[in-house]
Each structure stands twice: as structure tokens, then as C-alpha cells.
Amino acid sequence: VRLAESGGGSVQAGGSLRLACTASGFVHSRWCLAWIRRTTGKQREEVARIDGDGSIAYGDSVKGRFTVSADNDKKTLYLQMNDLKPEDTGMYYCVSEYGTCAPAVDEYDYWGQGTQVTVSS
């Protein structure tokens, strides 16, 4: 399984970015796909996930601002980020796991290389 993120960049506070993750290899609709970020001075945190059963969940810090979606076969995962804040600055990773999403960020089996998001005030 290989994951490749794109769409990062620099934006001013209040702006928007859309991240994409392309999955190759044996990934299909029953896989969990998620976005994890590492922000400055903080540990990694999961910001959004689409579980193997299709259920969606968000981290508390991004609820109402970020929207996760995927195509039907989960070959591409998206993260629409609106009303971005400086504290959203960090490296964003696409991760995957067969079936149920991992209970902790360190337990995901597959990781992309990450894409940098920088939000200036």
C-alpha cells in the first residue's frame, strides 16, 4: 500500500486548502483512511477519519471547519480545510488501516510522506 499526499501550501488565516491522498495497492472501500497531523510543539493528532464501515469522525479542534471525503473505492481521500487558523500549521499525513481505524495514531500500518500546511496570521 502506498499513500501520496498533495495540496499543502501556505495560506492566510481564514483561508482554505484542500488536501488529497492517492492510495495505490490493495486499498478498497473497507479500509480505514484518515488524516493525522503534527503541529508545531504538539504531538500528532488525528483530525479526520473514514472508517471501514464508512463512518466519519473528526478531531475536536477541527469540527465544523474540516470535511473529509473519499471516492467510492477509497482510492482518493480528501480533506477540505476551511477557516484555517495559525494553530493548524503542521505536517499532514494520510494513513490507512484495513477495516477499523486504529485506536491510536501510532498504530496505523501505512503512512504517506506528508504535506506541509502553513497558516499565517
Side-chain angles (χ1 to χ4, degrees):
V1 173
R2 296 187 66 182
L3 304 170
E5 304 93 339
S6 62
S10 297
V11 65
Q12 289 190 329
S16 298
L17 284 172
R18 190 190 196 204
L19 306 183
C21 170
T22 302
S24 59
F26 197 67
V27 174
H28 55 74
S29 62
R30 292 188 178 182
W31 281 62
C32 160
L33 289 173
W35 290 98
I36 288 174
R37 69 182 182 186
R38 183 194 296 274
T39 54
T40 303
K42 294 185 178 180
Q43 295 182 340
R44 291 177 294 182
E45 64 173 325
E46 185 176 297
V47 296
R49 61 164 59 175
I50 302 180
D51 218 320
D53 63 1
S55 58
I56 290 175
Y58 296 95
D60 289 340
S61 62
V62 306
K63 285 180 180 177
R65 300 188 298 123
F66 290 11
T67 302
V68 65
S69 61
D71 57 10
N72 287 338
D73 59 3
K74 287 185 176 174
K75 291 297 188 182
T76 307
L77 179 72
Y78 302 98
L79 185 68
Q80 178 67 44
M81 306 185 294
N82 297 329
D83 190 23
L84 282 160
K85 303 177 181 181
E87 52 264 42
D88 294 318
T89 295
M91 187 69 77
Y92 285 69
Y93 299 91
C94 175
V95 298
S96 68
E97 182 85 10
Y98 176 72
T100 303
C101 288
V105 296
D106 291 337
E107 297 185 27
Y108 280 97
D109 288 335
Y110 302 100
W111 291 70
Q113 292 299 308
T115 185
Q116 177 68 34
V117 170
T118 302
V119 184
S120 58
S121 57

